[in-house]
């Protein structure tokens, strides 16, 4: 087991009606002037936003709001939020929504605490992040896990880049998880969420280290739970029990706990981000599109790992031929994604056309102009990235 630090300071309030505690939680975490961040309208339509405003008022808090966050959120909107936060002297940023809203709130929080620094400089690493403003979350979709994660992902539309910023300062101070707030989700978003939750667990599971019995067992249990409850939620989106399991798994899948003692792979996320940046596709769809090609490309570097996955997650086989089991596990995963209606290759994603030049360009961008490799299960250089993009157009 590799050394690790595990410190997740996010206070979780889970269950029905927990959003009513938002005012007291903001106060408890030091907020008095709150900037509320929300998305494209679902939180307004459901009446959630008005309930939140009511609770903030009751608690005697001053607040303003900024809406219009879109999936694949932009640094441009976050910059507007920073200007508003600075003008109102905000000391707390409250996200009401999903990963896109939460990541925008994180961006605003960082900009608000560091006036004078352009936000994107934190995302490129040109400036290192040393302080921020507290962020609280009222979650409306089980998916990205941003409500407890150390990461924030923004797109710079001016240069067509989607990048993640990893920092312990990204962890929200509280997260309100009421599964009922997700009852208005369209099936496609539920499917994208299930995919993302699985992928956050698998990115930490398909790693070179094999001496993490606890983390592996946690990851396998989480995957089985998501797969089973995902099936139920797709048929019955208002099933409280299924949505509860998905929501809690979403947070656990990305709060670091399933990967302690190893480095994490994250290649599929990096490959997928290039598709989202170029085609503005949902994050979950970018992942299911790249996973099959990635798995088929890398499994031979350690078929034993994929065979274990097939057995412990999908209940396949009883030992025996590792390679056969590994491939059966990949097939089962792809069949599950398809059953959710998720794309598993370029064609299903709707990529309009492709050729060698496209694979080269995607790989060039994913390698940050040939300045980095990605992945640990198999280290991928720019040529391997290109091969995997090509494979995603063929499988
Ligand atoms: O904008 P509104 O109207 O709210 O609609 C949203 C949006 O269209 C809708 N939605 C959310 N809750 C709803 C609802 N519709 C009806 N009822 C509800 N209760 O769902 C759509 C998707 O929302 P979004 O926030 O984009 O979804 P998600 O939570 O999947 O977040 C995706 C973003 O998070 C990033 C992704 O890259 C992507 O940009 N990620 C962030 C991570 C992190 N910070 O740790 C990790 C992830 O790997 C991921 O990269
Ligand atoms: Zn993700």
């Amino acid at each position: 087991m590799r050394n690790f630090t595990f410190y997740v300071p996010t206070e979780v309030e889970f269950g029905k009606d927990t959003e009513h505690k938002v005012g007291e939680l903001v106060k408890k975490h030091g907020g008095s002037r709150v900037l509320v961040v929300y998305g494209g309208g679902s939180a307004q339509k459901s009446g959630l936003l008005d309930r939140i405003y009511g609770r903030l008022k009751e608690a005697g808090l001053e607040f303003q709001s900024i809406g219009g966050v879109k999936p694949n959120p932009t640094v441009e909107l976050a910059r507007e939020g920073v200007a508003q936060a600075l003008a109102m002297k905000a000391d707390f940023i409250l996200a009401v929504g999903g990963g896109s809203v939460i990541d925008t709130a994180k961006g605003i929080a960082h900009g608000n605490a560091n006036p004078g620094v352009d936000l994107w400089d934190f995302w490129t690493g040109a400036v290192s992040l040393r302080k921020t403003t507290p962020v609280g979350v009222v979650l409306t979709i089980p998916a990205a896990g941003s409500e407890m994660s150390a990461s924030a992902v923004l797109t710079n539309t001016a240069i067509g880049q989607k990048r993640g910023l990893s920092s312990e300062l990204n962890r929200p101070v509280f997260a309100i998880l009421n599964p009922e707030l997700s009852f208005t989700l369209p099936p496609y978003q539920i499917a994208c969420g299930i995919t993302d939750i699985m992928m956050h667990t698998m990115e930490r599971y398909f790693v070179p280290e094999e001496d993490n019995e606890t983390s592996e067992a946690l990851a396998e249990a989480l995957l089985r739970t998501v797969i089973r409850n995902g099936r139920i939620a797709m048929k019955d989106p208002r099933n409280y029990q299924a949505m509860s399991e998905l929501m809690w798994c979403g947070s656990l899948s990305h709060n670091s706990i399933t990967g302690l003692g190893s480095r994490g792979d994250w290649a599929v996320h990096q490959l997928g981000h290039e598709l989202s940046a170029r085609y503005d596709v949902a994050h979950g769809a970018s992942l299911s599109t790249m996973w099959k090609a990635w798995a088929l490309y890398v499994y031979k570097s350690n078929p034993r790992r994929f065979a274990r996955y097939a057995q412990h997650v999908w209940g396949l086989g009883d030992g025996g031929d590792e390679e056969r089991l590994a491939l059966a596990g990949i097939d089962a995963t792809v069949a599950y994604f398809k059953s959710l209606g998720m794309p598993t290759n370029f064609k299903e994603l709707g990529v309009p056309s492709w050729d060698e030049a496209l694979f080269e360009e995607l790989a060039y961008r994913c390698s940050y102009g040939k300045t980095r490799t990605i992945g640990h299960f198999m280290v991928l250089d720019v040529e391997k990235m290109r091969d995997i993009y090509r494979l995603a157009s063929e499988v």
Side-chain angles (χ1 to χ4, degrees):
M1 204 183 281
R2 291 166 67 94
N3 291 9
F4 63 82
T5 302
F6 183 57
Y7 177 65
V8 185
T10 310
E11 179 175 357
V12 174
E13 278 294 340
F14 187 96
K16 292 183 186 181
D17 298 328
T18 40
E19 68 273 22
H20 295 160
K21 296 187 178 169
V22 68
E24 65 187 80
L25 281 169
V26 170
K27 272 167 101 171
K28 178 175 169 183
H29 289 279
S32 60
R33 303 175 64 81
V34 186
L35 181 62
V36 180
V37 187
Y38 62 95
S42 73
Q44 274 165 312
K45 218 155 83 185
S46 66
L48 172 63
L49 214 48
D50 283 340
R51 294 210 299 285
I52 299 294
Y53 293 159
R55 295 294 164 170
L56 295 179
K57 252 183 232 153
E58 261 174 38
L61 297 163
E62 285 187 44
F63 63 90
Q64 290 184 14
S65 61
I66 176 167
V69 175
K70 296 200 177 76
N72 297 318
T74 65
V75 70
E76 288 85 355
L77 185 72
R79 285 189 188 119
E80 283 176 35
V82 172
Q84 188 173 345
L86 288 170
M88 69 172 281
K89 297 189 168 46
D91 56 15
F92 199 94
I93 314 297
L94 179 66
V96 181
S100 297
V101 168
I102 302 168
D103 289 0
T104 304
K106 290 177 180 181
I108 295 171
H110 302 335
N112 184 54
N114 299 276
V117 180
D118 179 60
L119 265 193
W120 195 244
D121 286 344
F122 293 127
W123 265 258
T124 60
V127 179
S128 63
L129 183 67
R130 299 197 190 284
K131 57 183 171 172
T132 190
T133 316
V135 170
V137 173
V138 179
L139 186 68
T140 62
I141 169 173
S146 184
E147 65 276 8
M148 291 184 89
S149 82
S151 145
V153 187
L154 290 179
T155 296
N156 186 327
T157 45
I159 52 172
Q161 277 184 0
K162 179 169 179 170
R163 281 200 181 190
L165 166 69
S166 198
S167 162
E168 288 301 316
L169 293 173
N170 273 324
R171 299 208 196 254
V173 293
F174 71 75
I176 291 176
L177 311 181
N178 175 356
E180 286 186 332
L181 299 181
S182 67
F183 282 0
T184 47
L185 278 170
Y188 181 65
Q189 288 301 336
I190 298 176
C192 285
I194 294 166
T195 307
D196 199 17
I197 296 169
M198 288 175 68
M199 285 304 317
H200 291 158
T201 316
M202 284 149 72
E203 298 268 31
R204 293 178 167 92
Y205 183 84
F206 291 107
V207 288
E209 298 84 9
E210 293 185 274
D211 51 359
N212 292 298
E213 208 179 321
T214 309
S215 295
E216 284 160 12
L218 281 171
E220 288 158 357
L222 198 149
L223 283 165
R224 289 193 302 269
T225 307
V226 172
I227 290 162
R228 188 171 55 249
N229 287 283
R231 287 194 183 107
I232 299 169
M234 288 301 288
K235 287 202 190 104
D236 179 11
R238 299 172 72 91
N239 185 308
Y240 184 79
Q241 184 58 27
M243 278 312 208
S244 298
E245 301 292 352
L246 289 185
M247 202 167 249
W248 187 222
C249 281
S251 300
L252 292 183
S253 77
H254 205 27
N255 79 351
S256 308
I257 197 158
T258 65
L260 299 176
S262 73
R263 277 168 296 178
D265 188 78
W266 300 105
V268 178
H269 267 71
Q270 301 306 316
L271 293 163
H273 283 343
E274 293 311 316
L275 298 181
S276 286
R278 192 178 180 96
Y279 303 110
D280 199 20
V281 291
H283 174 60
S286 77
L287 301 175
S288 58
T289 296
M290 293 313 304
W291 191 79
K292 182 180 184 185
W294 172 84
L296 289 174
Y297 194 85
V298 306
Y299 83 91
K300 281 197 173 148
S301 66
N302 185 358
R304 190 175 60 245
R305 190 65 172 171
F306 274 84
R308 180 186 161 123
Y309 165 76
Q311 284 181 294
H312 289 245
V313 174
W314 295 100
L316 300 169
D318 54 356
D321 184 343
E322 270 176 1
E323 171 134 0
R324 189 184 51 76
L325 258 181
L327 287 170
I330 294 172
D331 282 350
T333 311
V334 171
Y336 184 71
F337 288 156
K338 282 183 191 281
S339 77
L340 300 174
M342 297 304 290
T344 60
N345 56 38
F346 273 23
K347 184 163 177 242
E348 290 170 8
L349 184 68
V351 174
S353 64
W354 52 81
D355 56 14
E356 210 46 38
L358 176 68
F359 310 139
E360 297 269 357
E361 192 191 331
L362 288 169
Y364 182 79
R365 286 180 160 269
C366 192
S367 67
Y368 293 172
K370 299 191 185 177
T371 61
R372 67 162 184 170
T373 59
I374 59 170
H376 291 115
F377 188 81
M378 181 192 277
V379 176
L380 305 176
D381 59 17
V382 69
E383 280 86 21
K384 290 191 171 76
M385 295 177 207
R386 181 205 55 209
D387 291 348
I388 295 175
Y389 281 121
R390 188 190 304 111
L391 196 55
S393 75
E394 294 167 352
V395 290

